[in-house]
């Protein structure tokens, strides 16, 4: 800026269609907006965006300035509006990004879980086929179908105590068969333990 | 940024481009805008009043007491409309607040005019009945339609920086025009009826306006 003119003079001349004061006015907008935006901790890239939007907004709404009123208030109102607009858009984008990330995380974790579970199921199926017929049947009924020892006893026509004994022997055999998978063993013994605590098996 | 610091080239490019597109513009004046808005609103309401005027209107027009609540609401409405338009201009929101406050006082006095009889009735343990007034509410909303559309058109020409409050006030003021006009149509003198069926739509429309503000006044 070589010759400093009051802001309202610049706007008045710009409204009349004078290009040189208009250019000066737009430069003033940049010099006013930059420190204001930098105070809001906005990155340089986003500052550029907001200032460009502000310049376009000033151009489009030049007619809304009335010479009787404060030019600075008019300019800052537009800058603040564009800043709020930016924050609103950023907030929406962040919220969208967050939900996208969350979806991805849930999807990946469920995929991972599915893979682990299907692998465990395959190993368990393989181990169960190596038990004798009654042990396999009772364990499948108790652990995979979730029946109680009493219900299993009624279904297979054995006494409840007998079912528990067969199941216990089956668990021990399974533990031996799946010896390497300690986590899986832990699960089996946890199931067994909870059943014992409940008095179910 | 220091004022002596040169302006970045990307801004200068944009500034040159924008400057080259400059055409002379006339500052938008608020009073002609208010005049056009009022004319459109009153005109459409007047047509409705002529067709559906209450049977006792000539008598009422000779009763000085008839004018008191109407003028309270009328003053509130005029100030409110001016305030809404003022709030549409960037940087003039603090000024518009004075008019909206005055408008609130006018409308508040009008509400008080009808609230007092209800209070007295309640003190005397009289039962209050909200008689059927759906037709009144429909008329209020119908008469608010043109003021709302025209107000929307004028305000969108401006650049409201506080979109939600501006929209809330615009919707409320447009419905207030309908409420004022219904006084010439509805013969009911019941305070409960007036507050329930004439005043409640203002709150409803104001709430709707607040909800739609961000979308309606995006610029």
């Amino acid at each position: 800026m070589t010759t400093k003119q009051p802001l309202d003079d610049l706007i008045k001349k710009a409204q009349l269609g004078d290009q040189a004061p208009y250019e000066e006015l737009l430069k003033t907008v940049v010099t006013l907006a930059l420190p204001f935006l930098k105070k809001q901790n906005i990155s340089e890239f986003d500052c550029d965006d907001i200032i460009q939007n502000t310049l376009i907004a000033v151009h489009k709404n030049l007619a809304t300035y009335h010479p009787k009123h404060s030019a600075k208030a008019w300019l800052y109102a537009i800058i603040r509006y564009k800043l709020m607009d930016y924050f609103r858009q950023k907030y929406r984008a962040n919220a969208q990004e967050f939900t996208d990330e969350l979806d991805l995380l849930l999807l990946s974790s469920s995929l991972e879980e599915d893979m682990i579970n299907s692998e465990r199921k395959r190993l368990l199926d393989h181990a169960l086929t190596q038990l004798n017929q009654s042990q396999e049947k009772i364990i499948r009924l108790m652990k995979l179908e979730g029946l109680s020892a009493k219900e299993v006893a009624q279904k297979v026509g054995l006494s409840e105590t007998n079912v528990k004994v067969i199941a216990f022997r089956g668990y021990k055999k399974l533990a031996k068969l799946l010896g390497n998978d300690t986590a899986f063993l832990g699960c089996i013994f946890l199931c067994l333990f909870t059943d014992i605590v409940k008095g179910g098996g | 940024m220091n004022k002596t610091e040169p302006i970045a080239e990307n801004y200068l490019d944009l500034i040159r481009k924008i400057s080259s597109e400059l055409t002379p513009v006339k500052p938008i004046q608020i009073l002609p805008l208010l005049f056009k808005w009022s004319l459109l609103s009153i005109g459409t309401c007047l047509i409705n009043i002529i067709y559906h005027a209450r049977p006792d209107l000539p008598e009422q027009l000779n009763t000085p007491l008839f004018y008191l609540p109407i003028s309270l609401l009328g003053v509130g409405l005029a100030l409110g409309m001016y305030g809404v338009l003022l709030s549409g201009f960037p940087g003039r929101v603090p000024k518009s607040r004075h008019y909206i406050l005055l408008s609130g006082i006018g409308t508040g006095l009008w509400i008080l005019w009808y609230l007092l009889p209800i209070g007295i009735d309640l003190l005397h343990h009289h039962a209050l009945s909200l008689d059927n007034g759906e037709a009144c509410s429909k008329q209020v909303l119908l008469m608010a339609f043109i003021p709302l559309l025209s107000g929307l058109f004028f305000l969108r020409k401006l650049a409201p920086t506080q979109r939600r409050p501006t929209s809330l006030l615009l919707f409320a003021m447009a419905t207030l025009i309908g409420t004022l006009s219904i006084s010439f149509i509805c013969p009911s003198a019941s305070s409960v009826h007036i507050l329930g069926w004439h005043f409640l739509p203002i709150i409803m429309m104001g709430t709707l306006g607040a909800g739609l503000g961000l979308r309606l006044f995006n610029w």
Side-chain angles (χ1 to χ4, degrees), chain A residues 14-19 22-23 27 34 48 51-52 55 57 59 61 63-66 69 73-74 77 81-82 85 88, chain B residues 1 7 10-12 14-15 18-20 22 24-29 89-92 95 159 161 163 217-219:
Chain A
Q15 283 179 334
L16 294 171
D18 202 342
Q19 262 193 37
Y22 188 46
E23 249 182 64
K27 282 178 191 168
L34 257 176
D48 281 2
I51 290 176
Q52 281 176 12
L55 289 173
H59 179 67
N61 298 299
T64 59
Y65 172 74
H66 195 278
H69 296 91
W74 178 76
Y81 175 81
K82 287 293 160 193
D85 222 29
R88 203 171 283 123
Chain B
M1 192 187 190
I7 295 166
N10 57 335
Y11 296 135
L12 288 176
L14 185 69
I15 287 169
I18 293 175
S19 308
S20 64
L22 179 70
V25 284
K26 247 183 152 183
I28 300 174
Q29 303 282 343
F89 287 90
R92 291 204 219 167
K95 260 196 172 174
T161 48
R163 291 181 279 176
F217 294 110
N218 198 13
W219 54 276

Short mmCIF file of all heavy atoms in Angstrom, two decimals, chain A residues 14-19 22-23 27 34 48 51-52 55 57 59 61 63-66 69 73-74 77 81-82 85 88, chain B residues 1 7 10-12 14-15 18-20 22 24-29 89-92 95 159 161 163 217-219:
data_model
loop_
_atom_site.label_atom_id
_atom_site.label_comp_id
_atom_site.label_asym_id
_atom_site.label_seq_id
_atom_site.Cartn_x
_atom_site.Cartn_y
_atom_site.Cartn_z
N ALA A 14 -14.91 1.65 -4.72
CA ALA A 14 -15.08 0.34 -5.36
C ALA A 14 -16.53 0.14 -5.80
O ALA A 14 -16.80 -0.39 -6.88
CB ALA A 14 -14.68 -0.77 -4.39
N GLN A 15 -17.45 0.62 -4.98
CA GLN A 15 -18.87 0.51 -5.34
C GLN A 15 -19.20 1.31 -6.59
O GLN A 15 -20.12 0.97 -7.32
CB GLN A 15 -19.75 0.96 -4.16
CG GLN A 15 -19.83 -0.08 -3.06
CD GLN A 15 -20.66 0.36 -1.88
OE1 GLN A 15 -20.80 1.56 -1.62
NE2 GLN A 15 -21.19 -0.60 -1.13
N LEU A 16 -18.40 2.35 -6.82
CA LEU A 16 -18.62 3.16 -8.03
C LEU A 16 -17.98 2.52 -9.26
O LEU A 16 -18.17 2.99 -10.38
CB LEU A 16 -18.06 4.57 -7.82
CG LEU A 16 -18.78 5.42 -6.76
CD1 LEU A 16 -18.00 6.70 -6.49
CD2 LEU A 16 -20.19 5.76 -7.21
N GLY A 17 -17.19 1.49 -9.04
CA GLY A 17 -16.59 0.76 -10.16
C GLY A 17 -15.14 1.11 -10.41
O GLY A 17 -14.58 0.75 -11.46
N ASP A 18 -14.50 1.79 -9.45
CA ASP A 18 -13.10 2.18 -9.61
C ASP A 18 -12.19 1.00 -9.24
O ASP A 18 -12.21 0.53 -8.10
CB ASP A 18 -12.83 3.38 -8.67
CG ASP A 18 -11.63 4.17 -9.12
OD1 ASP A 18 -10.84 3.62 -9.91
OD2 ASP A 18 -11.47 5.32 -8.67
N GLN A 19 -11.40 0.55 -10.22
CA GLN A 19 -10.64 -0.70 -9.99
C GLN A 19 -9.46 -0.55 -9.04
O GLN A 19 -9.22 -1.45 -8.23
CB GLN A 19 -10.15 -1.22 -11.33
CG GLN A 19 -11.05 -2.30 -11.88
CD GLN A 19 -10.39 -3.04 -13.04
OE1 GLN A 19 -9.21 -3.26 -13.05
NE2 GLN A 19 -11.19 -3.38 -14.03
N TYR A 22 -10.31 -0.60 -5.51
CA TYR A 22 -10.86 -1.93 -5.22
C TYR A 22 -9.73 -2.92 -4.95
O TYR A 22 -9.79 -3.71 -4.01
CB TYR A 22 -11.72 -2.39 -6.39
CG TYR A 22 -12.50 -3.66 -6.12
CD1 TYR A 22 -13.20 -3.82 -4.92
CD2 TYR A 22 -12.55 -4.70 -7.03
CE1 TYR A 22 -13.91 -4.98 -4.67
CE2 TYR A 22 -13.26 -5.85 -6.79
CZ TYR A 22 -13.94 -5.99 -5.60
OH TYR A 22 -14.64 -7.14 -5.35
N GLU A 23 -8.69 -2.84 -5.80
CA GLU A 23 -7.53 -3.71 -5.59
C GLU A 23 -6.91 -3.45 -4.23
O GLU A 23 -6.55 -4.37 -3.49
CB GLU A 23 -6.50 -3.46 -6.69
CG GLU A 23 -6.36 -4.65 -7.64
CD GLU A 23 -5.33 -4.44 -8.70
OE1 GLU A 23 -4.13 -4.32 -8.35
OE2 GLU A 23 -5.72 -4.38 -9.89
N LYS A 27 -6.48 -5.96 -1.05
CA LYS A 27 -5.18 -6.17 -0.39
C LYS A 27 -5.31 -5.91 1.11
O LYS A 27 -4.72 -6.62 1.93
CB LYS A 27 -4.13 -5.23 -1.00
CG LYS A 27 -3.61 -5.72 -2.33
CD LYS A 27 -2.61 -4.72 -2.89
CE LYS A 27 -2.28 -5.05 -4.35
NZ LYS A 27 -1.56 -3.97 -4.99
N LEU A 34 -5.19 -12.04 7.54
CA LEU A 34 -4.09 -12.98 7.87
C LEU A 34 -3.74 -13.03 9.35
O LEU A 34 -3.76 -14.11 9.95
CB LEU A 34 -2.87 -12.66 7.03
CG LEU A 34 -2.63 -13.61 5.85
CD1 LEU A 34 -1.46 -13.15 5.04
CD2 LEU A 34 -2.42 -15.04 6.30
N ASP A 48 -5.05 -19.75 3.58
CA ASP A 48 -5.17 -19.38 2.15
C ASP A 48 -6.60 -19.59 1.67
O ASP A 48 -7.17 -18.74 1.00
CB ASP A 48 -4.24 -20.27 1.31
CG ASP A 48 -2.81 -19.80 1.37
OD1 ASP A 48 -2.57 -18.82 2.09
OD2 ASP A 48 -1.95 -20.42 0.73
N ILE A 51 -9.02 -17.04 3.23
CA ILE A 51 -8.84 -15.69 2.66
C ILE A 51 -9.39 -15.62 1.24
O ILE A 51 -10.05 -14.65 0.86
CB ILE A 51 -7.36 -15.27 2.73
CG1 ILE A 51 -6.99 -15.02 4.21
CG2 ILE A 51 -7.08 -14.02 1.90
CD1 ILE A 51 -5.57 -14.70 4.47
N GLN A 52 -9.15 -16.67 0.49
CA GLN A 52 -9.68 -16.66 -0.89
C GLN A 52 -11.21 -16.61 -0.87
O GLN A 52 -11.83 -15.87 -1.63
CB GLN A 52 -9.20 -17.91 -1.62
CG GLN A 52 -7.77 -17.76 -2.11
CD GLN A 52 -7.21 -19.00 -2.75
OE1 GLN A 52 -7.93 -19.93 -3.04
NE2 GLN A 52 -5.91 -19.00 -2.95
N LEU A 55 -12.26 -13.11 0.05
CA LEU A 55 -12.12 -12.15 -1.05
C LEU A 55 -13.30 -12.29 -2.02
O LEU A 55 -13.88 -11.28 -2.46
CB LEU A 55 -10.81 -12.40 -1.81
CG LEU A 55 -9.52 -12.00 -1.07
CD1 LEU A 55 -8.30 -12.46 -1.84
CD2 LEU A 55 -9.46 -10.50 -0.86
N ALA A 57 -16.24 -13.48 -1.24
CA ALA A 57 -17.45 -13.03 -0.54
C ALA A 57 -17.55 -11.50 -0.54
O ALA A 57 -18.63 -10.94 -0.74
CB ALA A 57 -17.45 -13.56 0.88
N HIS A 59 -16.32 -9.55 -2.76
CA HIS A 59 -16.65 -9.15 -4.14
C HIS A 59 -18.15 -9.33 -4.41
O HIS A 59 -18.77 -8.44 -5.01
CB HIS A 59 -15.83 -10.02 -5.10
CG HIS A 59 -16.09 -9.73 -6.54
ND1 HIS A 59 -15.74 -8.56 -7.13
CD2 HIS A 59 -16.70 -10.47 -7.51
CE1 HIS A 59 -16.10 -8.56 -8.40
NE2 HIS A 59 -16.70 -9.72 -8.66
N ASN A 61 -20.60 -9.45 -2.25
CA ASN A 61 -21.51 -8.71 -1.36
C ASN A 61 -21.10 -7.25 -1.17
O ASN A 61 -21.41 -6.66 -0.14
CB ASN A 61 -21.58 -9.41 0.00
CG ASN A 61 -22.13 -10.80 -0.14
OD1 ASN A 61 -23.26 -10.99 -0.57
ND2 ASN A 61 -21.33 -11.80 0.19
N ALA A 63 -22.31 -4.73 -2.39
CA ALA A 63 -23.49 -3.85 -2.28
C ALA A 63 -24.07 -3.83 -0.88
O ALA A 63 -24.90 -2.96 -0.58
CB ALA A 63 -24.55 -4.31 -3.28
N THR A 64 -23.68 -4.77 -0.03
CA THR A 64 -24.28 -4.80 1.31
C THR A 64 -23.61 -3.81 2.27
O THR A 64 -24.06 -3.66 3.41
CB THR A 64 -24.21 -6.22 1.93
OG1 THR A 64 -22.84 -6.61 2.01
CG2 THR A 64 -25.00 -7.23 1.14
N TYR A 65 -22.54 -3.18 1.80
CA TYR A 65 -21.90 -2.17 2.66
C TYR A 65 -22.57 -0.81 2.44
O TYR A 65 -22.75 -0.38 1.32
CB TYR A 65 -20.39 -2.07 2.38
CG TYR A 65 -19.76 -0.92 3.12
CD1 TYR A 65 -19.56 -1.00 4.49
CD2 TYR A 65 -19.44 0.27 2.46
CE1 TYR A 65 -19.04 0.08 5.19
CE2 TYR A 65 -18.93 1.35 3.15
CZ TYR A 65 -18.73 1.25 4.52
OH TYR A 65 -18.23 2.31 5.22
N HIS A 66 -22.92 -0.20 3.56
CA HIS A 66 -23.50 1.14 3.47
C HIS A 66 -22.48 2.14 4.00
O HIS A 66 -21.94 1.95 5.09
CB HIS A 66 -24.79 1.23 4.28
CG HIS A 66 -25.59 2.44 3.92
ND1 HIS A 66 -25.32 3.66 4.46
CD2 HIS A 66 -26.61 2.60 3.05
CE1 HIS A 66 -26.15 4.55 3.94
NE2 HIS A 66 -26.95 3.94 3.08
N HIS A 69 -22.06 3.19 7.68
CA HIS A 69 -21.68 2.23 8.74
C HIS A 69 -20.19 1.90 8.73
O HIS A 69 -19.48 2.23 7.79
CB HIS A 69 -22.52 0.97 8.61
CG HIS A 69 -23.97 1.24 8.85
ND1 HIS A 69 -24.82 1.56 7.83
CD2 HIS A 69 -24.69 1.29 9.99
CE1 HIS A 69 -26.02 1.77 8.33
NE2 HIS A 69 -25.96 1.62 9.64
N ALA A 73 -16.23 -3.18 10.67
CA ALA A 73 -17.22 -4.13 11.20
C ALA A 73 -17.76 -5.00 10.07
O ALA A 73 -17.94 -6.21 10.23
CB ALA A 73 -18.36 -3.39 11.88
N TRP A 74 -17.99 -4.37 8.93
CA TRP A 74 -18.50 -5.09 7.75
C TRP A 74 -17.49 -6.15 7.30
O TRP A 74 -17.84 -7.31 7.08
CB TRP A 74 -18.77 -4.07 6.65
CG TRP A 74 -19.26 -4.64 5.35
CD1 TRP A 74 -20.51 -5.09 5.08
CD2 TRP A 74 -18.50 -4.81 4.15
NE1 TRP A 74 -20.58 -5.53 3.78
CE2 TRP A 74 -19.36 -5.37 3.18
CE3 TRP A 74 -17.18 -4.54 3.77
CZ2 TRP A 74 -18.94 -5.67 1.88
CZ3 TRP A 74 -16.77 -4.83 2.48
CH2 TRP A 74 -17.64 -5.39 1.56
N ALA A 77 -17.00 -8.94 9.87
CA ALA A 77 -18.16 -9.83 9.91
C ALA A 77 -18.05 -10.88 8.81
O ALA A 77 -18.35 -12.06 9.04
CB ALA A 77 -19.45 -9.02 9.74
N TYR A 81 -17.44 -14.81 9.41
CA TYR A 81 -18.43 -15.74 8.85
C TYR A 81 -17.71 -16.86 8.08
O TYR A 81 -18.03 -18.04 8.22
CB TYR A 81 -19.38 -14.98 7.91
CG TYR A 81 -20.34 -15.88 7.19
CD1 TYR A 81 -21.49 -16.34 7.81
CD2 TYR A 81 -20.09 -16.30 5.88
CE1 TYR A 81 -22.37 -17.18 7.15
CE2 TYR A 81 -20.96 -17.13 5.22
CZ TYR A 81 -22.10 -17.57 5.86
OH TYR A 81 -22.97 -18.41 5.20
N LYS A 82 -16.72 -16.47 7.29
CA LYS A 82 -15.99 -17.47 6.50
C LYS A 82 -15.17 -18.38 7.42
O LYS A 82 -15.01 -19.57 7.13
CB LYS A 82 -15.08 -16.77 5.47
CG LYS A 82 -15.86 -16.18 4.32
CD LYS A 82 -16.50 -17.28 3.48
CE LYS A 82 -17.65 -16.78 2.64
NZ LYS A 82 -18.46 -17.84 2.07
N ASP A 85 -17.57 -20.79 8.90
CA ASP A 85 -17.91 -21.74 7.84
C ASP A 85 -16.82 -22.81 7.73
O ASP A 85 -17.11 -24.00 7.60
CB ASP A 85 -18.00 -20.96 6.52
CG ASP A 85 -19.17 -21.42 5.69
OD1 ASP A 85 -20.17 -21.86 6.29
OD2 ASP A 85 -19.09 -21.31 4.46
N ARG A 88 -17.00 -25.11 10.69
CA ARG A 88 -18.16 -26.01 10.57
C ARG A 88 -17.83 -27.15 9.60
O ARG A 88 -18.08 -28.31 9.88
CB ARG A 88 -19.37 -25.21 10.07
CG ARG A 88 -20.68 -25.86 10.43
CD ARG A 88 -21.85 -24.96 10.14
NE ARG A 88 -22.01 -23.91 11.12
CZ ARG A 88 -22.02 -22.62 10.86
NH1 ARG A 88 -21.86 -22.20 9.64
NH2 ARG A 88 -22.17 -21.74 11.81
N MET B 1 0.68 -11.01 10.27
CA MET B 1 1.43 -10.45 9.14
C MET B 1 1.67 -8.96 9.35
O MET B 1 0.76 -8.20 9.65
CB MET B 1 0.61 -10.66 7.87
CG MET B 1 1.38 -10.40 6.63
SD MET B 1 0.22 -10.48 5.23
CE MET B 1 1.34 -10.46 3.90
N ILE B 7 2.36 -8.93 0.01
CA ILE B 7 1.28 -9.91 -0.07
C ILE B 7 1.68 -11.03 -1.02
O ILE B 7 2.26 -10.78 -2.08
CB ILE B 7 -0.02 -9.22 -0.54
CG1 ILE B 7 -0.46 -8.22 0.53
CG2 ILE B 7 -1.14 -10.21 -0.81
CD1 ILE B 7 -1.50 -7.25 0.09
N ASN B 10 -0.06 -15.60 -4.77
CA ASN B 10 -1.35 -16.26 -5.07
C ASN B 10 -2.54 -15.35 -4.75
O ASN B 10 -3.54 -15.35 -5.46
CB ASN B 10 -1.48 -17.60 -4.35
CG ASN B 10 -1.34 -17.48 -2.85
OD1 ASN B 10 -0.72 -16.55 -2.35
ND2 ASN B 10 -1.94 -18.39 -2.12
N TYR B 11 -2.39 -14.54 -3.68
CA TYR B 11 -3.46 -13.58 -3.35
C TYR B 11 -3.53 -12.49 -4.40
O TYR B 11 -4.61 -12.10 -4.82
CB TYR B 11 -3.22 -12.94 -1.99
CG TYR B 11 -3.25 -13.90 -0.82
CD1 TYR B 11 -2.29 -13.83 0.17
CD2 TYR B 11 -4.25 -14.86 -0.71
CE1 TYR B 11 -2.31 -14.69 1.25
CE2 TYR B 11 -4.28 -15.73 0.36
CZ TYR B 11 -3.30 -15.64 1.34
OH TYR B 11 -3.32 -16.50 2.40
N LEU B 12 -2.34 -12.03 -4.79
CA LEU B 12 -2.31 -10.94 -5.78
C LEU B 12 -2.97 -11.36 -7.09
O LEU B 12 -3.70 -10.58 -7.70
CB LEU B 12 -0.87 -10.50 -6.03
CG LEU B 12 -0.21 -9.72 -4.89
CD1 LEU B 12 1.24 -9.43 -5.21
CD2 LEU B 12 -0.94 -8.40 -4.63
N LEU B 14 -5.35 -13.58 -7.45
CA LEU B 14 -6.81 -13.62 -7.24
C LEU B 14 -7.38 -12.20 -7.18
O LEU B 14 -8.43 -11.91 -7.76
CB LEU B 14 -7.12 -14.38 -5.94
CG LEU B 14 -8.60 -14.59 -5.64
CD1 LEU B 14 -9.20 -15.58 -6.63
CD2 LEU B 14 -8.80 -15.10 -4.23
N ILE B 15 -6.64 -11.33 -6.50
CA ILE B 15 -7.10 -9.93 -6.37
C ILE B 15 -7.22 -9.29 -7.75
O ILE B 15 -8.21 -8.64 -8.05
CB ILE B 15 -6.13 -9.13 -5.45
CG1 ILE B 15 -6.33 -9.57 -4.00
CG2 ILE B 15 -6.34 -7.63 -5.59
CD1 ILE B 15 -5.29 -9.06 -3.03
N ILE B 18 -10.25 -10.79 -9.53
CA ILE B 18 -11.52 -10.28 -9.00
C ILE B 18 -11.73 -8.83 -9.41
O ILE B 18 -12.81 -8.44 -9.83
CB ILE B 18 -11.57 -10.43 -7.45
CG1 ILE B 18 -11.61 -11.90 -7.06
CG2 ILE B 18 -12.79 -9.72 -6.87
CD1 ILE B 18 -11.54 -12.14 -5.56
N SER B 19 -10.65 -8.04 -9.31
CA SER B 19 -10.75 -6.61 -9.64
C SER B 19 -11.19 -6.39 -11.08
O SER B 19 -11.94 -5.46 -11.38
CB SER B 19 -9.42 -5.90 -9.43
OG SER B 19 -8.93 -6.17 -8.17
N SER B 20 -10.68 -7.28 -11.95
CA SER B 20 -11.02 -7.10 -13.38
C SER B 20 -12.52 -7.34 -13.62
O SER B 20 -13.04 -6.92 -14.65
CB SER B 20 -10.18 -8.04 -14.23
OG SER B 20 -10.52 -9.38 -13.91
N LEU B 22 -14.88 -6.22 -11.66
CA LEU B 22 -15.66 -5.24 -10.89
C LEU B 22 -16.65 -4.46 -11.77
O LEU B 22 -16.30 -4.00 -12.85
CB LEU B 22 -14.70 -4.25 -10.20
CG LEU B 22 -15.37 -3.16 -9.38
CD1 LEU B 22 -16.02 -3.73 -8.13
CD2 LEU B 22 -14.36 -2.08 -8.99
N PRO B 24 -19.88 -1.42 -11.26
CA PRO B 24 -20.44 -0.52 -10.23
C PRO B 24 -21.67 -1.12 -9.56
O PRO B 24 -22.51 -1.75 -10.24
CB PRO B 24 -20.81 0.73 -11.02
CG PRO B 24 -20.11 0.61 -12.32
CD PRO B 24 -19.88 -0.82 -12.59
N VAL B 25 -21.75 -0.98 -8.26
CA VAL B 25 -22.93 -1.48 -7.53
C VAL B 25 -23.50 -0.36 -6.67
O VAL B 25 -22.77 0.53 -6.23
CB VAL B 25 -22.58 -2.69 -6.61
CG1 VAL B 25 -22.39 -3.94 -7.40
CG2 VAL B 25 -21.38 -2.40 -5.73
N LYS B 26 -24.78 -0.46 -6.44
CA LYS B 26 -25.45 0.53 -5.58
C LYS B 26 -25.60 -0.08 -4.21
O LYS B 26 -26.07 -1.23 -4.10
CB LYS B 26 -26.83 0.85 -6.14
CG LYS B 26 -26.97 2.24 -6.67
CD LYS B 26 -28.38 2.44 -7.12
CE LYS B 26 -28.78 3.89 -7.03
NZ LYS B 26 -30.16 4.05 -7.40
N PRO B 27 -25.22 0.64 -3.15
CA PRO B 27 -25.42 0.06 -1.82
C PRO B 27 -26.90 -0.24 -1.57
O PRO B 27 -27.76 0.57 -1.90
CB PRO B 27 -24.92 1.15 -0.86
CG PRO B 27 -24.21 2.13 -1.69
CD PRO B 27 -24.65 1.98 -3.09
N ILE B 28 -27.15 -1.40 -1.03
CA ILE B 28 -28.55 -1.79 -0.76
C ILE B 28 -29.06 -0.95 0.40
O ILE B 28 -28.43 -0.88 1.46
CB ILE B 28 -28.66 -3.30 -0.44
CG1 ILE B 28 -28.14 -4.12 -1.62
CG2 ILE B 28 -30.10 -3.69 -0.12
CD1 ILE B 28 -28.06 -5.61 -1.36
N GLN B 29 -30.21 -0.32 0.19
CA GLN B 29 -30.81 0.51 1.24
C GLN B 29 -31.85 -0.29 2.00
O GLN B 29 -32.62 -1.04 1.39
CB GLN B 29 -31.48 1.74 0.61
CG GLN B 29 -30.55 2.61 -0.23
CD GLN B 29 -29.66 3.50 0.59
OE1 GLN B 29 -29.92 3.72 1.78
NE2 GLN B 29 -28.60 4.01 0.00
N PHE B 89 -27.59 -7.62 7.07
CA PHE B 89 -26.38 -6.96 6.57
C PHE B 89 -25.18 -7.38 7.41
O PHE B 89 -25.26 -7.34 8.65
CB PHE B 89 -26.53 -5.43 6.67
CG PHE B 89 -27.46 -4.85 5.66
CD1 PHE B 89 -28.80 -4.71 5.93
CD2 PHE B 89 -26.98 -4.42 4.42
CE1 PHE B 89 -29.66 -4.16 4.99
CE2 PHE B 89 -27.83 -3.87 3.49
CZ PHE B 89 -29.18 -3.75 3.77
N PRO B 90 -24.05 -7.72 6.78
CA PRO B 90 -22.88 -8.08 7.59
C PRO B 90 -22.43 -6.90 8.46
O PRO B 90 -22.42 -5.77 7.99
CB PRO B 90 -21.80 -8.41 6.55
CG PRO B 90 -22.50 -8.56 5.27
CD PRO B 90 -23.77 -7.78 5.35
N GLY B 91 -22.10 -7.20 9.67
CA GLY B 91 -21.55 -6.19 10.58
C GLY B 91 -22.57 -5.28 11.22
O GLY B 91 -22.22 -4.35 11.93
N ARG B 92 -23.87 -5.53 10.99
CA ARG B 92 -24.87 -4.65 11.59
C ARG B 92 -25.70 -5.39 12.64
O ARG B 92 -26.77 -4.94 13.02
CB ARG B 92 -25.79 -4.08 10.52
CG ARG B 92 -25.06 -3.11 9.63
CD ARG B 92 -26.03 -2.17 9.00
NE ARG B 92 -25.67 -1.90 7.63
CZ ARG B 92 -26.46 -1.32 6.77
NH1 ARG B 92 -27.67 -0.97 7.12
NH2 ARG B 92 -26.07 -1.10 5.54
N LYS B 95 -26.58 -3.54 16.01
CA LYS B 95 -27.63 -2.53 15.84
C LYS B 95 -29.00 -3.17 15.74
O LYS B 95 -29.98 -2.65 16.27
CB LYS B 95 -27.35 -1.71 14.57
CG LYS B 95 -26.71 -0.41 14.89
CD LYS B 95 -26.79 0.52 13.72
CE LYS B 95 -26.30 1.88 14.16
NZ LYS B 95 -26.22 2.80 13.07
N ALA B 159 -26.31 -10.57 3.08
CA ALA B 159 -25.42 -11.67 3.44
C ALA B 159 -25.46 -11.86 4.95
O ALA B 159 -24.56 -11.42 5.66
CB ALA B 159 -24.01 -11.34 2.98
N THR B 161 -24.78 -12.88 8.46
CA THR B 161 -23.64 -13.61 9.04
C THR B 161 -24.09 -14.46 10.23
O THR B 161 -23.39 -15.38 10.61
CB THR B 161 -22.53 -12.64 9.49
OG1 THR B 161 -23.14 -11.61 10.25
CG2 THR B 161 -21.81 -12.04 8.31
N ARG B 163 -26.83 -16.74 10.69
CA ARG B 163 -27.92 -17.33 9.91
C ARG B 163 -29.07 -17.84 10.77
O ARG B 163 -30.23 -17.62 10.44
CB ARG B 163 -27.37 -18.48 9.08
CG ARG B 163 -26.47 -17.99 7.98
CD ARG B 163 -25.96 -19.13 7.17
NE ARG B 163 -24.84 -19.80 7.79
CZ ARG B 163 -24.27 -20.88 7.29
NH1 ARG B 163 -24.72 -21.41 6.19
NH2 ARG B 163 -23.24 -21.43 7.89
N PHE B 217 -29.84 -19.74 4.59
CA PHE B 217 -29.04 -18.53 4.40
C PHE B 217 -27.55 -18.83 4.17
O PHE B 217 -26.69 -18.08 4.61
CB PHE B 217 -29.21 -17.58 5.57
CG PHE B 217 -30.61 -17.05 5.67
CD1 PHE B 217 -31.45 -17.43 6.68
CD2 PHE B 217 -31.08 -16.19 4.70
CE1 PHE B 217 -32.75 -16.95 6.76
CE2 PHE B 217 -32.37 -15.70 4.76
CZ PHE B 217 -33.21 -16.09 5.79
N ASN B 218 -27.30 -19.92 3.49
CA ASN B 218 -25.91 -20.25 3.19
C ASN B 218 -25.44 -19.39 2.01
O ASN B 218 -26.11 -19.31 0.99
CB ASN B 218 -25.85 -21.73 2.82
CG ASN B 218 -24.45 -22.25 2.91
OD1 ASN B 218 -23.56 -21.60 3.46
ND2 ASN B 218 -24.23 -23.42 2.37
N TRP B 219 -24.33 -18.71 2.15
CA TRP B 219 -23.83 -17.90 1.05
C TRP B 219 -22.30 -18.01 0.93
O TRP B 219 -21.65 -18.45 1.83
CB TRP B 219 -24.22 -16.43 1.17
CG TRP B 219 -23.86 -15.77 2.44
CD1 TRP B 219 -24.59 -15.79 3.60
CD2 TRP B 219 -22.71 -14.97 2.73
NE1 TRP B 219 -23.97 -15.08 4.57
CE2 TRP B 219 -22.82 -14.56 4.08
CE3 TRP B 219 -21.60 -14.59 2.01
CZ2 TRP B 219 -21.83 -13.77 4.70
CZ3 TRP B 219 -20.62 -13.80 2.63
CH2 TRP B 219 -20.74 -13.40 3.94
#
